[in-house]
Amino acid sequence: MGGQGLYVIWNSLFNNFTPATSELSLRYLNAHHQDGTWFIGTSNGVVLTNPKADAWIRAGHEDAYFKKPVQYIASDSKGLRFSSLHGPEDLQYKTLSFDSKKLSYQFDRSEKWIVQQQLKYTAAAFGCVLKTEAGKTDTILNLPGFETRILDLIWFENSLFIATSKGLYVWKQGQPQALAIEGAWNQWTVFNFCDLGTDLLIAHEAGLSRWKSKSIQRFKPKNITVAIHKVIAVNHSWYLATQNGIYITDSSGYIHHHLQQSEGLPSDYIADLDLMQNQLLAISPSAVSFLELKDLQKNPYQSAPLTLKYRISGKPLWHAVLGPVILNATEKRIEWQGIWPEFHPKQNLIFKWRLDQEPCFESNGTKTELYIPA
């Protein structure tokens, strides 16, 4: 079952979950919440869990479309919408059950779609955007290239804004085709939009920009020089998913928190994030990470310290592990996955460790495992 493997980084702010060993090829793509449930789009359907992450199911084994990549998840007045390029031609609502809830959902064949003023705009495959009105469909954008993707759509200032892997496009009523925004936008991949009401935030591979009063202003919080995949604005805080972890800023761009592997993320590459009440969920390709926002106010190093040393088998000298320690926790032992930069993982090592004020324990050197005493 996806999400059942616990992935622990000592003194981590995050609870991290990886695919079960039977699904190591599974990749997490996106996240969405509704009615107190997390929905996680993957390379093989949708995984559901609750805020405690103590119950996980793969949705709808009886529905073949749940066995395909899900590019986008959203909600409307009728239920959940799962967008997949392998979805059905006709929209049909079905029901799935989780955590004593009945949830209505439908699939559609697209990367994403939105409805505005009785018009449907669909991000189809291979750089194509369709407009459907009263059963008539017209193409308003058709970009060349088999790998071209439409990454986001939003209606803003009476225009359709289109984020693509080949720049930013805008379509207005009466225009036959969407028009490209000129300049550096032609070279950038645009990932995501966030509607602030009077302004539109645009996340792209060069950072963050603001569409304000029909003009684009480059908005670059200090020290953020990497691609931003997703931006969420809640109250006066902005949450940014980037190639270099998660940034939490205020609306002026002041960085309050920068969360990376050193804070417990299994990867600095964050593809998506979502916020449900005071819980943040971050998506990296191989893990799902949960963060309680109240924990940001705590010192992450107030928990019991772990003293860990190692030596190469046959040699007397013990070395302290000073760098990050990534451990894979099970009920009876902790298996190390990587301790760097001090040694090659294939070396035959002996560990000794002390948790808080407990006695010191030593491994036998035959397995790369740290055993937790009963």
Side-chain angles (χ1 to χ4, degrees), residues 160-177:
L160 181 69
F161 284 71
I162 307 170
T164 84
S165 56
K166 293 185 176 180
L168 174 64
Y169 289 77
V170 178
W171 178 83
K172 296 180 180 294
Q173 289 276 11
Q175 290 180 343
Q177 295 285 305

Side-chain angles (χ1 to χ4, degrees), residues 258-302:
H258 181 201
L259 308 175
Q260 300 175 284
Q261 291 186 66
S262 55
E263 284 70 43
L265 283 170
S267 170
D268 287 339
Y269 185 99
I270 305 301
D272 194 17
L273 53 79
D274 196 10
L275 186 66
M276 180 165 60
Q277 296 180 346
N278 291 315
Q279 186 179 59
L280 185 71
L281 186 151
I283 298 291
S284 55
S286 59
V288 178
S289 304
F290 297 85
L291 168 69
E292 300 297 331
L293 294 183
K294 62 179 174 26
D295 292 340
L296 288 175
Q297 309 308 319
K298 300 178 181 178
N299 181 349
Y301 297 99
Q302 287 179 344

Side-chain angles (χ1 to χ4, degrees), residues 160-209:
L160 181 69
F161 284 71
I162 307 170
T164 84
S165 56
K166 293 185 176 180
L168 174 64
Y169 289 77
V170 178
W171 178 83
K172 296 180 180 294
Q173 289 276 11
Q175 290 180 343
Q177 295 285 305
L179 301 178
I181 301 300
E182 300 298 331
W185 295 96
N186 289 333
Q187 288 78 46
W188 290 344
T189 294
V190 181
F191 294 101
N192 177 244
F193 301 116
C194 180
D195 189 351
L196 299 180
T198 57
D199 302 347
L200 182 68
L201 292 179
I202 306 172
H204 49 77
E205 69 174 79
L208 196 63
S209 295

Side-chain angles (χ1 to χ4, degrees), residues 29-30 41-46 63-74 81-89 91 106-113 122-125 149:
L29 305 177
N30 49 69
T42 79
S43 57
N44 188 24
V46 178
D63 192 331
Y65 294 112
F66 274 118
K67 299 178 181 178
K68 304 293 184 180
V70 174
Q71 277 81 18
Y72 182 74
I73 306 174
R81 303 200 315 263
F82 300 131
S83 294
S84 172
L85 292 178
H86 303 276
E89 291 283 3
L91 301 180
Q106 66 177 8
F107 268 96
D108 66 274
R109 183 176 295 177
S110 70
E111 297 218 55
K112 181 179 180 178
W113 60 271
T122 303
R149 291 194 59 198

Side-chain angles (χ1 to χ4, degrees), residues 325-353:
V325 180
I326 297 184
L327 306 169
N328 191 6
T330 65
E331 288 185 359
K332 294 297 183 182
R333 65 180 182 269
I334 303 177
E335 300 175 356
W336 63 267
Q337 292 194 358
I339 304 176
W340 63 86
E342 297 175 351
F343 62 82
H344 191 281
K346 291 185 178 180
Q347 286 181 314
N348 186 17
L349 303 176
I350 296 175
F351 292 93
K352 68 178 179 180
W353 68 98

Side-chain angles (χ1 to χ4, degrees), residues 10-11 301-308 354-358:
W10 194 255
N11 285 328
Y301 297 99
Q302 287 179 344
S303 58
L306 174 70
T307 300
L308 181 65
R354 183 189 301 275
L355 177 58
D356 200 11
Q357 300 302 317
E358 295 295 323

